[in-house]
Amino acid sequence: MSERTNFERTLDKLKANSDMVVSMREPVVIDLASHYKGQLSGKIETIKRAVLEVRLIEFDYFYEKGESHRRIEPYFVIFQWSSWYVFGFCLERQDWRLFKLTRLWNLSLCDDTYAPREIPPERRDFNARFPDDKKLVAVFDSSVKYQLIEANVSIWQIETDGKLRLEVGYTNRDMMISWLLGFGNKVKVLGPEDIVADIQIAAENILSLYK
């Protein structure tokens, strides 16, 4: 039996009853604990088994437009953009897809097997799938500068009143809106118009809860 990989040993630390952080016997500690760690490790183990046994997986998937049931040929699990994904060929869409594990429920291993496909080189470039082709324009209160730095945002223009004007590209619209809402009244979004409209609706809905 071959030696277990570092990744496999890391997964052991993600078991539902484990509160340990992952230490690689180096002066670096990685804490992978989260409120869904048990579900996450179970999903990864199921997908790993499916890939090794070349078997299909099926699941219910929740996304912006609603929900759907999918059957896919899984090829690997990746961690990118602060989230875990499974990459595979979707039989319903007849195309390569990434599925976020936290949006994936009722995962099951199918008896059906599949013949592995050749993955096109352009499909392996996951950053190319999410280009920074949209630009956010917003003005932040100077008191939240540390939060911008924490989000790895370090380039802004200082306005005459001391506020921070940020113009930055983004890829995930939903995540951008959630991030902006977290600043409350410490940010004013100037563009794009669709995000401004959604922020206004969210603010009105929040206000209506307290009327």
Side-chain angles (χ1 to χ4, degrees), residues 123-141:
R123 292 295 190 166
R124 291 181 175 270
D125 185 358
F126 297 108
N127 287 317
R129 295 168 63 87
F130 294 88
D132 290 334
D133 57 351
K134 300 177 183 179
K135 179 170 288 187
L136 169 78
V137 181
V139 177
F140 293 80
D141 189 87

Side-chain angles (χ1 to χ4, degrees), residues 84-207:
W84 291 89
Y85 298 81
V86 57
F87 176 75
F89 189 83
C90 178
L91 299 182
E92 280 69 29
R93 298 293 185 266
Q94 285 296 297
D95 198 5
W96 300 94
R97 288 287 192 273
L98 275 173
F99 297 94
K100 185 179 288 189
L101 296 193
T102 53
R103 295 183 180 180
L104 185 158
W105 290 84
N106 300 321
L107 172 66
S108 61
L109 186 62
C110 302
D111 293 330
D112 299 329
T113 60
Y114 63 92
R117 304 169 190 261
E118 184 69 25
I119 303 175
E122 64 274 13
R123 292 295 190 166
R124 291 181 175 270
D125 185 358
F126 297 108
N127 287 317
R129 295 168 63 87
F130 294 88
D132 290 334
D133 57 351
K134 300 177 183 179
K135 179 170 288 187
L136 169 78
V137 181
V139 177
F140 293 80
D141 189 87
S142 60
S143 64
V144 299
K145 180 190 290 187
Y146 74 97
Q147 290 178 264
L148 296 178
I149 293 175
E150 184 179 29
N152 202 30
V153 176
S154 58
I155 301 177
W156 53 70
Q157 177 182 339
I158 301 177
E159 305 279 73
T160 55
D161 58 1
K163 292 187 177 180
L164 310 175
R165 180 185 176 92
L166 177 68
E167 296 187 16
V168 63
Y170 67 93
T171 58
N172 190 311
R173 185 175 181 276
D174 291 340
M175 287 184 64
M176 177 58 73
I177 291 175
S178 296
W179 181 67
L180 291 167
L181 287 172
F183 287 93
N185 65 348
K186 300 297 184 181
V187 61
K188 181 177 181 179
V189 181
L190 304 179
E193 292 183 0
D194 62 317
I195 286 190
V196 172
D198 280 359
I199 293 288
Q200 290 174 335
I201 292 172
E204 291 169 359
N205 290 338
I206 291 172
L207 182 60

Side-chain angles (χ1 to χ4, degrees), residues 15-138:
K15 297 302 183 183
N17 295 324
S18 174
D19 294 321
M20 297 178 62
V21 298
V22 177
S23 174
M24 301 301 182
R25 299 181 182 274
E26 298 287 344
V28 176
V29 175
I30 305 172
D31 188 352
L32 295 177
S34 71
H35 65 280
Y36 59 85
K37 62 181 178 178
Q39 297 174 359
L40 178 64
S41 61
K43 290 175 182 177
I44 293 176
E45 287 291 344
T46 297
I47 295 169
K48 173 189 170 184
R49 180 181 173 187
V51 172
L52 293 177
E53 298 179 3
V54 199
R55 293 165 62 181
L56 299 177
I57 57 173
E58 61 181 330
F59 49 84
D60 295 322
Y61 196 68
F62 298 83
Y63 59 114
E64 183 180 359
K65 296 181 180 179
E67 60 183 270
S68 63
H69 188 77
R70 302 294 182 93
R71 282 166 58 92
I72 73 168
E73 302 170 358
Y75 285 79
F76 46 81
V77 173
I78 67 171
F79 181 80
Q80 198 165 7
W81 317 297
S82 74
S83 297
W84 291 89
Y85 298 81
V86 57
F87 176 75
F89 189 83
C90 178
L91 299 182
E92 280 69 29
R93 298 293 185 266
Q94 285 296 297
D95 198 5
W96 300 94
R97 288 287 192 273
L98 275 173
F99 297 94
K100 185 179 288 189
L101 296 193
T102 53
R103 295 183 180 180
L104 185 158
W105 290 84
N106 300 321
L107 172 66
S108 61
L109 186 62
C110 302
D111 293 330
D112 299 329
T113 60
Y114 63 92
R117 304 169 190 261
E118 184 69 25
I119 303 175
E122 64 274 13
R123 292 295 190 166
R124 291 181 175 270
D125 185 358
F126 297 108
N127 287 317
R129 295 168 63 87
F130 294 88
D132 290 334
D133 57 351
K134 300 177 183 179
K135 179 170 288 187
L136 169 78
V137 181

